[in-house]
């Protein structure tokens, strides 16, 4: 039977169509596979770099904790080990270390769990004696033979001599859990390795050979690096990616990034099938359907298109959706904000960053589920407060950013205060109760060339200045703020050296009785660098209070006061008590009272000649600890005073609960004498209260003789202020005064 030309032509056209369909399908699938593989490798590299960031943050945080503990230990005599033994136990529990130890220069180590061993042969001990902080490779635990990474820092004395080495052990399993990731539907896994392939830590995964100590010598990884590219890169400190074959899993990708610690590398591995499984199905299906009619071909194209969209949506969701809030994340909103800031001229905008004070404590108290509920509640509040053309999102943890219209700074402040009021009304359905304190940083958008990242950085810097402040929770970034940041940075850069070189001195402000005879002196720190102008006291006190250095300055000023009292005593000069302001950081220290007592004994002065002044804006949460410390100090003979009484809301609580000896009134009340008719009965009531409680009452802020006479008529006894004379250097004041005791 002969085939007609028309049928032959149709069969030929059909065959060409089938070939074209098959070839086109094959090329399309090949291109799709390459594109998905490219996305896979980019995402795998990002997973590795995020893992490096997480690991570095953990280790650097542990090192900072060790340095803080070492600084506390350095204030004690080495033979008196009880205080620092208790410190090791507390720090071990607080930081979830396996154990901590303090190693004497002899190599004898006192462990936080009670053991006493010799670690003189350890390299980290030897490097610590040389003044180096170290992070070791995994070592065998000398106590329980487990595997752990040792972090060590030297403990310095005041003269910068090494008094010992403080170490902490972190089990390698902790780092394995830290780098664990549920990316790639659980198919991927991560390792921390040395450049020679030795394992440091392994994420929990059924795909990992946990028995092999070296990945290049593992039986399941015999084809891991056949060309040696990865080993060459690791030897030279480079990052990279390789593709290798494993018989039971097929082709896999491995991304490796240097950690920046020792010669460690972060290695992230994922099977290629994660990206290509669906495209393989499409490939074989396309070949089978290549011989069907064009309608089936069209259906196949639609199917491929839908699958491509589904894959794209999955990747989009992972890259641009906040997993807690289920809305666009910072990566997506940042692009929208940049577009608005670049092209919109209709509104003035401000970039706002805010977070919750001590969110980690709240997170621990509530648990992750309730903490996420809090974050979702904040999101719902912001959703209801935003106007058209405004944006918000969560950047990380509890840090939120907003792009808001800003008609004026006052209107924006009022709006943020309203948002704050709504957020702090959150109450979880549990027995735990806590006070939410938010901190807002605002950067007005005055330069259209700045990106959202630039604005975020500036808003966060502004936020940091009010972090933990109970009264002022909003700070604006402007030119004055930038100048202030530069000034504060200069203070932080030089504070350690200034304290070592004793560039701080003490000025004394007299406290007089009604006969103008000195009864006490109030000491204030002054920072005078050599050949430079004096540093503004308000500036360096603000910086020191924020970064915690204020506690060391308190100890320094206490020693200066003891030194001055000793000078008066040795030269048979009259003496008066010296009052010193004590920071909240010192009050929270369990060693502060011991340090003060040690200083008075060292200089041979009476504790009763030191008056410790407390500020009225003490955090209510600190009252139990403050009460315990105050009773201990008072029992040792120190005098306690309450400064700036009449300011804040905690003053009366402090008078009722603490063994206060003296009250110093807020100067504004004294300056109102003769101007505000309500001031006289208020001050008179304070005088009667002080007499009933047997307290000395000092009226600060006296500016002229008229105010002094009015105070005399009210029955006041002690006073201070500009009318008493300005501040004088400590070695020149009161050398001719009569000795008076409180």
């Amino acid at each position: 039977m002969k085939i007609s030309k028309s049928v032959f032509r149709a069969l030929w056209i059909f065959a060409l169509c089938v070939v074209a369909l098959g070839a086109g399908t094959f090329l399309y699938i090949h291109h799709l596979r390459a594109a998905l593989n490219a996305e896979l490798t980019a995402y795998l590299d990002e997973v590795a770099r995020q893992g490096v960031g997480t690991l570095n943050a953990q280790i650097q945080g542990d090192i900072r904790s060790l340095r803080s503990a070492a600084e506390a230990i350095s204030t004690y005599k080495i033979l008196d080990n009880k205080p620092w033994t208790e410190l090791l136990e507390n720090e071990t529990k607080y930081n979830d270390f396996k154990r901590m130890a303090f190693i004497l220069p002899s190599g004898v180590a006192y462990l936080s769990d009670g053991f006493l061993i010799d670690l003189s042969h350890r390299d980290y001990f030897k490097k610590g004696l040389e003044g180096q902080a170290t992070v070791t490779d995994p070592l065998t635990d000398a106590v329980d033979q487990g595997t752990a990474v040792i972090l060590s820092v030297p403990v310095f004395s005041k003269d910068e001599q090494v008094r010992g080495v403080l170490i902490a052990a972190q089990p390698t399993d902790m780092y394995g859990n830290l780098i664990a990731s549920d990316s790639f539907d659980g198919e991927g896994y991560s390792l921390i390795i040395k450049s020679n392939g030795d394992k440091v830590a392994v994420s929990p995964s059924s795909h990992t050979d946990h028995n092999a100590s070296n990945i290049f010598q593992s039986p399941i990884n015999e084809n891991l690096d056949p060309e040696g590219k990865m080993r060459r890169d690791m030897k030279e400190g480079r990052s990279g990616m390789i593709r290798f074959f494993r018989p039971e899993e097929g082709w896999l990708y491995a991304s490796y990034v240097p950690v920046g610690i020792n010669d460690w590398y972060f290695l992230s591995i994922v099977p290629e099938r994660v990206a290509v499984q669906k495209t393989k199905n499409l490939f074989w299906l396309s070949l089978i359907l290549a011989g069907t009619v064009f309608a089936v071909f069209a259906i196949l194209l639609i199917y491929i298109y839908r699958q491509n969209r589904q894959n794209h949506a999955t990747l989009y969701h992972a890259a641009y959706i906040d997993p807690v809030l289920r809305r666009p994340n910072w990566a997506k909103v940042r692009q929208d904000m940049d577009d608005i800031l670049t092209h919109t001229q209709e509104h003035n905008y401000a970039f706002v960053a805010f977070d919750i004070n001590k969110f980690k404590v709240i997170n621990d108290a509530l648990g992750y589920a309730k903490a996420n509920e809090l974050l979702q509640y904040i999101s719902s509040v912001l959703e209801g407060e935003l106007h058209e053309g405004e944006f918000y999102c969560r950047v990380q943890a509890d840090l939120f950013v907003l792009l808001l219209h800003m008609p004026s700074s006052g209107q924006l402040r009022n709006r943020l205060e309203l948002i704050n009021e709504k957020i702090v009304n959150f109450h979880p359905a549990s027995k735990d109760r806590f006070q939410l304190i938010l901190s807002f940083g605002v950067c007005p958008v005055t330069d259209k060339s700045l990106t959202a990242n630039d604005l975020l950085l500036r808003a966060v810097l502004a936020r940091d200045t009010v972090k933990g402040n109970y009264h002022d929770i909003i700070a604006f970034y402007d030119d004055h703020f930038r100048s202030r940041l530069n000034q504060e940075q200069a203070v932080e850069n030089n504070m350690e050296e200034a304290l070592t070189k004793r560039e701080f001195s003490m000025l004394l402000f007299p406290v007089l009785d009604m006969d103008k005879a000195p009864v006490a002196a109030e000491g204030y720190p002054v920072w005078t660098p050599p050949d430079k102008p004096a540093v503004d006291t308000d500036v360096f006190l603000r910086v020191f209070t924020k970064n915690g250095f204020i506690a060391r300055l308190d100890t320094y000023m206490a020693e200066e006061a003891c030194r001055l009292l000793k000078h008066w005593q040795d030269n048979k000069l009259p003496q008066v008590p010296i009052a010193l302001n004590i920071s909240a950081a010192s009050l929270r220290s369990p060693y502060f009272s011991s340090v003060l007592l040690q200083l008075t004994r060292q200089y041979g002065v009476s504790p009763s000649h030191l008056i410790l002044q407390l500020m009225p804006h003490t955090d209510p949460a600190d009252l139990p600890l403050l009460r315990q410390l105050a009773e201990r100090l008072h029992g040792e003979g120190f005098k306690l005073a309450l400064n700036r009484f009449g300011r804040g809301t905690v003053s009366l609580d402090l008078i009722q609960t603490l063994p206060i000896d003296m009250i110093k009134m807020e100067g504004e009340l004294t300056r109102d004498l003769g101007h505000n008719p309500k001031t006289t009965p208020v001050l008179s009531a304070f005088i009667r209260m002080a007499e009933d409680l047997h307290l000395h009452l000092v009226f600060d802020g006296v500016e002229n003789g008229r105010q002094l006479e009015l105070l005399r008529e009210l029955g006041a006894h002690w006073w201070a202020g500009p009318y008493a004379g300005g501040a004088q250097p400590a070695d020149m004041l009161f050398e001719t005064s009569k000795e008076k005791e409180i």
Side-chain angles (χ1 to χ4, degrees):
M1 179 179 175
K2 292 185 178 181
I3 301 176
S4 65
K5 291 183 179 180
S6 59
V7 173
F8 182 81
R9 188 182 299 109
L11 290 174
W12 177 250
I13 293 174
F14 179 80
L16 288 176
C17 290
V18 170
V19 172
L21 178 62
T25 302
F26 177 83
L27 291 175
Y28 175 78
I29 298 301
H30 179 76
H31 174 75
L32 182 61
R33 177 186 296 177
L36 288 177
N37 282 348
E39 291 186 6
L40 172 69
T41 55
Y43 184 48
L44 181 60
D45 181 69
E46 180 62 24
V47 168
R49 295 187 183 279
Q50 289 181 4
V52 168
T54 300
L55 180 63
N56 271 304
Q58 175 69 36
I59 292 178
Q60 293 305 320
D62 289 345
I63 290 292
R64 285 194 295 272
S65 298
L66 280 180
R67 291 192 189 278
S68 297
E71 189 172 298
I73 290 177
S74 68
T75 63
Y76 293 91
K77 295 180 179 179
I78 293 299
L79 294 179
D80 183 13
N81 63 53
K82 184 177 180 180
W84 49 258
T85 301
E86 294 175 354
L87 174 65
L88 294 184
E89 294 175 357
N90 293 334
E91 288 292 327
T92 300
K93 294 176 182 177
Y94 180 79
N95 293 286
D96 291 331
F97 292 136
K98 182 179 182 181
R99 69 172 54 85
M100 293 179 67
F102 177 65
I103 313 175
L104 296 175
S106 64
V108 175
Y110 291 83
L111 275 62
S112 58
D113 44 12
F115 292 97
L116 187 68
I117 61 176
D118 181 9
L119 296 177
S120 59
H121 61 288
R122 293 294 194 179
D123 287 341
Y124 56 79
F125 165 69
K126 297 174 183 177
K127 291 181 180 179
L129 291 182
E130 296 174 359
Q132 300 181 38
T134 60
V135 179
T136 72
D137 292 330
L139 299 175
T140 300
D141 195 303
V143 176
D144 59 14
Q145 303 305 307
T147 303
V149 170
I150 306 299
L151 303 94
S152 66
V153 298
V155 178
F156 293 101
S157 61
K158 289 184 178 180
D159 56 358
E160 298 300 320
Q161 298 298 314
V162 178
R163 303 182 68 189
V165 180
L166 183 64
I167 68 171
Q170 280 285 23
T172 55
D173 289 346
M174 188 282 292
Y175 293 126
N177 294 329
L178 184 68
I179 63 174
S181 173
D182 59 357
S183 59
F184 305 108
D185 298 324
E187 293 288 337
Y189 57 94
S190 303
L191 308 90
I192 304 172
I193 62 172
K194 299 175 63 176
S195 60
N196 65 358
D198 288 345
K199 292 179 181 176
V200 176
V202 180
S203 65
S205 173
S206 59
H207 300 281
T208 308
D209 183 3
H210 293 274
N211 296 321
S213 61
N214 187 292
I215 64 167
F216 297 127
Q217 300 172 5
S218 171
I220 69 171
N221 287 333
E222 59 182 354
N223 296 323
L224 174 63
D225 191 22
E227 298 179 359
K229 177 182 181 300
M230 185 166 71
R231 276 170 282 192
R232 289 194 301 273
D233 285 346
M234 288 183 175
K235 185 178 296 185
E236 298 177 7
R238 296 194 299 263
S239 60
M241 184 173 301
I242 61 171
R243 181 171 177 259
F244 66 99
F245 184 78
R246 185 180 290 168
E248 64 275 16
E249 294 186 77
W251 288 98
L252 299 96
Y253 284 96
S255 174
Y256 46 94
V257 177
V259 174
I261 297 173
N262 302 330
D263 63 339
W264 294 1
Y265 265 80
F266 189 99
L267 179 63
S268 186
I269 299 176
V270 64
E272 185 185 45
R273 67 175 182 274
V274 172
V276 304
Q277 185 60 48
K278 292 180 180 179
T279 55
K280 283 184 177 180
N281 295 338
L282 293 177
F283 174 75
W284 292 110
L285 182 61
S286 298
L287 290 180
I288 294 173
L289 296 179
T292 62
V293 295
F294 288 102
V296 176
F297 174 63
I299 295 174
L300 178 61
L301 291 178
I302 294 173
Y303 175 74
I304 295 174
Y305 173 74
R306 288 180 176 177
Q307 288 296 108
N308 189 31
R309 288 194 60 182
Q310 181 180 343
N311 291 339
H312 179 75
T314 301
L315 293 174
Y316 179 90
H317 190 276
Y320 295 116
I321 300 299
D322 188 313
V324 175
L325 305 184
R326 305 297 181 186
R327 68 180 320 279
N329 62 11
W330 172 239
K332 178 64 174 70
V333 175
R334 177 180 59 194
Q335 300 173 8
D336 298 333
M337 289 181 174
D338 283 335
D339 185 62
I340 286 289
L341 295 174
T342 303
H343 300 100
T344 301
Q345 306 292 334
E346 299 176 0
H347 300 282
N348 292 325
Y349 279 96
F351 201 91
V352 181
F354 75 90
D355 65 0
I356 304 169
N357 189 35
K358 299 180 179 178
F359 179 73
K360 183 177 180 181
V361 176
I362 296 174
N363 203 355
D364 292 340
L366 293 181
Y368 288 112
K370 287 297 181 182
N372 286 345
E373 183 181 329
L374 169 59
L375 297 176
Q376 291 162 0
Y377 172 78
I378 294 175
S379 178
S380 66
V381 171
L382 298 178
E383 191 75 40
E385 291 297 321
L386 259 59
H387 304 154
E388 184 177 355
E390 297 181 333
F391 298 90
Y392 84 93
C393 76
R394 185 176 70 109
V395 177
Q396 61 183 13
D398 61 321
L399 176 60
F400 285 80
V401 297
L402 307 93
L403 183 63
L404 303 178
H405 300 316
M406 181 178 160
S408 68
S409 59
Q411 289 176 292
L412 181 60
R413 178 179 289 272
N414 292 338
R415 190 176 175 192
L416 293 179
E417 288 175 349
L418 178 62
I419 291 174
N420 173 75
E421 183 179 347
K422 291 185 177 181
I423 291 176
V424 299
N425 285 332
F426 173 78
H427 294 292
S430 68
K431 295 182 180 179
D432 296 307
R433 286 292 179 263
F434 51 86
Q435 177 67 38
L436 291 180
I437 305 295
L438 305 187
S439 303
F440 292 83
V442 181
C443 181
V445 182
T446 57
D447 185 352
K448 294 290 186 179
S449 66
L450 294 177
T451 66
N453 275 330
D454 299 329
L455 295 169
L456 173 61
L457 176 61
R458 297 187 177 191
V460 168
L461 289 174
R463 178 214 59 184
D464 289 344
T465 63
V466 292
K467 189 71 172 175
N469 193 319
Y470 289 84
H471 304 287
D472 189 6
I473 63 171
I474 302 173
F476 282 76
Y477 185 98
D478 53 22
D479 291 337
H480 295 293
F481 183 85
R482 185 185 298 107
S483 175
R484 172 182 166 184
L485 285 180
N486 293 335
Q487 192 177 28
E488 291 181 354
Q489 187 61 52
V491 168
E492 287 196 327
N493 291 341
N494 294 283
M495 62 186 185
E496 289 280 359
E497 182 180 1
L499 196 65
T500 302
K501 293 183 177 180
R502 306 193 69 83
E503 294 179 1
F504 294 94
S505 58
M506 183 169 60
L507 293 181
L508 294 181
F509 290 81
V511 177
L512 308 179
D513 62 16
M514 287 300 164
D515 294 328
K516 299 185 179 179
V519 293
E522 189 168 5
Y524 284 90
V526 178
W527 182 359
T528 310
D531 303 324
K532 293 181 181 179
V535 181
D536 189 294
T537 302
D538 290 338
V539 172
F540 73 75
L541 287 181
R542 180 175 65 245
V543 175
F544 291 176
T545 300
K546 181 171 63 175
N547 65 18
F549 195 77
I550 189 69
R552 293 182 60 186
L553 182 63
D554 287 347
T555 302
Y556 179 94
M557 293 300 294
E559 183 172 5
E560 288 295 295
C562 290
R563 192 192 305 273
L564 178 60
L565 291 169
K566 175 67 172 174
H567 170 73
W568 287 343
Q569 180 176 297
D570 291 346
N571 291 276
K572 302 186 183 305
L573 297 172
Q575 301 181 58
V576 293
I578 298 177
L580 300 172
N581 288 321
I582 304 301
S583 68
S586 293
L587 296 176
R588 296 190 186 103
S589 171
Y591 313 105
F592 181 64
S593 59
S594 300
V595 172
L596 288 180
L597 191 59
Q598 180 182 348
L599 287 173
T600 56
R601 291 173 178 171
Q602 176 183 343
Y603 287 93
V605 299
S606 172
S608 63
H609 278 78
L610 283 181
I611 306 172
L612 309 179
Q613 292 192 148
L614 312 177
M615 301 304 289
H617 52 266
T618 301
D619 188 340
D622 291 336
L623 285 179
L625 179 62
L626 178 58
R627 185 182 302 113
Q628 181 181 3
L629 176 63
E631 292 173 352
R632 187 185 312 138
L633 290 169
H634 202 263
E636 296 289 352
F638 295 96
K639 301 298 183 181
L640 298 180
L642 185 59
N643 199 6
R644 305 189 73 178
F645 182 77
R647 183 182 183 90
T649 58
V650 191
S651 302
L652 293 177
D653 290 338
L654 295 177
I655 291 177
Q656 295 180 78
T657 58
L658 302 182
I660 297 296
D661 300 287
M662 185 177 82
I663 297 175
K664 187 176 181 184
M665 298 296 299
E666 167 65 34
E668 290 295 334
L669 295 174
T670 305
R671 286 188 281 271
D672 280 346
L673 269 176
H675 303 289
N676 188 342
K678 295 182 180 180
T679 302
T680 299
V682 170
L683 297 185
S684 180
F686 283 139
I687 293 173
R688 291 195 303 273
M689 177 194 71
E691 291 174 348
D692 292 341
L693 296 175
H694 306 290
L695 302 175
H696 291 285
L697 189 62
V698 179
F699 285 91
D700 196 13
V702 177
E703 298 176 333
N704 52 59
R706 172 59 178 161
Q707 292 175 346
L708 184 59
E709 287 304 314
L710 290 174
L711 288 174
R712 189 193 305 272
E713 293 173 4
L714 290 175
H717 298 289
W718 290 2
W719 60 282
Y723 193 57
Q728 296 186 25
D731 58 355
M732 298 176 58
L733 195 66
F734 296 118
E735 292 189 354
T736 59
S737 67
K738 297 179 181 180
E739 181 175 2
K740 293 183 181 288
E741 292 282 349
I742 293 179

